[in-house]
Amino acid sequence: MATQFSASVSLQTSCLATTRISFQKPALISNHGKTNLSFNLRRSIPSRRLSVSCAAKQETIEKVSAIVKKQLSLTPDKKVVAETKFADLGADSLDTVEIVMGLEEEFNIQMAEEKAQKIATVEQAAELIEELINEKK
Amino acid sequence: MGASKLSGMQKQVLSLYRGFLRAARSRPIEDRKRIEMIVSTEFRHNSKEVDRKNFQYIEYLLRLGTKQLDQLKSPAIVSLSSIKVVTSKT
């Protein structure tokens, strides 16, 4: 269920309400970059967490947006914000794989495949990236 | 609303695609670009041409792709001829 925000309101909401932002995580997390089996993931209760800082989050979102534009060959003036869905930019599932791979390389992280496959918006990507970066510290 | 739930077979395809891109990453830059171009073209061609309900053929393609990926990962393999063969067949 997605609500549309204007860019400025979106930023404020993002900073003020980070504790409310969450997405469902799979019950099982693969430790390998690749899985040979497919299975139904049980939906777990969304977890709440604090982001490190609003500034870092905005920076991450901007970086993610830049990579998405590059990967999809969008013009620089194309508007990409936190709530933008990759699908709304014309990305199919193969494009999304490429975006995720590009993000992994840029931020020097590895995303578990099950989590990566669930990413559909810039914000979801940014959240997972910051989560993974924090785990490395 | 949002992205539709991926079927098991779809996940396997995306996983294979991801594996190819990851394998390409360890190659010198020119090789990498060629690999990425070939792989991208092949997957997109098949996503357009292959009937999504032809499970037998999709499974065949998945096995073939996995075999090619294993070859690509092998340090002994320096040419891309095996991938080219499939490209020319389609």
Side-chain angles (χ1 to χ4, degrees), chain A residues 1-113:
Chain A
M1 208 66 59
T3 309
Q4 287 245 334
F5 291 103
S6 69
S8 58
V9 172
S10 162
L11 297 182
Q12 292 174 11
T13 303
S14 174
C15 289
L16 295 175
T18 50
T19 55
R20 293 195 293 107
I21 296 172
S22 65
F23 55 90
Q24 297 194 3
K25 298 175 182 177
L28 295 176
I29 299 175
S30 168
N31 288 321
H32 308 286
K34 173 182 176 181
T35 58
N36 293 318
L37 299 176
S38 63
F39 49 88
N40 289 322
L41 296 176
R42 190 189 208 104
R43 293 186 170 271
S44 62
I45 299 172
S47 65
R48 299 173 182 274
R49 60 180 180 82
L50 295 167
S51 68
V52 172
S53 72
C54 292
K57 186 166 185 63
Q58 178 57 25
E59 182 185 357
T60 306
I61 287 175
E62 284 172 3
K63 269 188 171 182
V64 171
S65 299
I67 290 167
V68 168
K69 286 183 190 178
K70 178 183 175 185
Q71 200 65 49
L72 298 178
S73 304
L74 303 176
T75 56
D77 56 294
K78 177 73 178 181
K79 194 169 192 179
V80 178
V81 296
E83 289 77 21
T84 303
K85 285 184 164 66
F86 297 153
D88 292 342
L89 300 169
D92 60 20
S93 53
L94 292 173
D95 289 314
T96 303
V97 169
E98 288 172 6
I99 289 169
V100 168
M101 298 294 288
L103 294 172
E104 282 187 340
E105 195 165 19
E106 171 70 21
F107 292 95
N108 193 27
I109 54 176
Q110 280 218 358
M111 296 178 180
E113 197 148 344

Side-chain angles (χ1 to χ4, degrees), chain B residues 17-68:
Chain B
Y17 188 55
R18 190 175 149 109
F20 271 111
L21 295 183
R22 195 181 295 283
R25 187 171 292 177
S26 61
R27 296 294 178 129
I29 189 64
E30 278 311 310
D31 273 2
R32 172 178 172 172
K33 289 185 175 181
R34 285 182 61 216
I35 292 170
E36 287 176 354
M37 182 61 64
I38 292 170
V39 169
S40 175
T41 302
E42 182 71 10
F43 273 79
R44 283 185 161 75
H45 173 83
N46 282 331
S47 75
K48 283 180 181 146
E49 299 299 324
V50 177
D51 180 2
R52 270 153 182 73
K53 298 191 177 185
N54 192 345
F55 302 122
Q56 204 167 349
Y57 185 55
I58 294 173
E59 280 173 2
Y60 159 77
L61 288 177
L62 282 169
R63 284 197 302 273
L64 181 62
T66 300
K67 194 171 182 180
Q68 289 178 323

